[in-house]
Amino acid sequence: MQISRNVGKADRLIRLVAGAALVAAAAFGAIGVWGYIGLIFVATAFMNFCPIYKIIGVKTCSDC
C-alpha cells in the first residue's frame, strides 16, 4: 500500500521546527511530558503524510 503525499514543503518545515522544539522542551523539563507529542509532528514531516489531513481532505502540497 502506497501512502499519497499531502504535506507540502513549508508545512514540513513548520512541523519539523515545532515538533523538535516541543520534544526539546519536554526533554529539558520546560514543559511536561505532553511535549513529546512533537514526535508526531516530526514523523508526519518525514513521511510527507498527515492522517488528519487525509480525513478532512486537505493537501498543502502543490504537486501532489
Side-chain angles (χ1 to χ4, degrees), residues 2-28:
Q2 184 178 4
I3 298 174
S4 61
R5 291 180 358 167
N6 63 4
V7 175
K9 290 179 184 178
D11 195 357
R12 280 183 72 195
L13 180 61
I14 293 167
R15 287 170 182 270
L16 279 171
V17 171
L22 282 170
V23 171
F28 288 110

Side-chain angles (χ1 to χ4, degrees), residues 5 25 30 53 62:
R5 291 180 358 167
Y53 281 5
S62 58

Side-chain angles (χ1 to χ4, degrees), residues 23-47:
V23 171
F28 288 110
I31 59 176
V33 296
W34 290 102
Y36 289 108
I37 201 155
L39 291 172
I40 295 171
F41 293 122
V42 172
T44 57
F46 279 112
M47 294 186 313

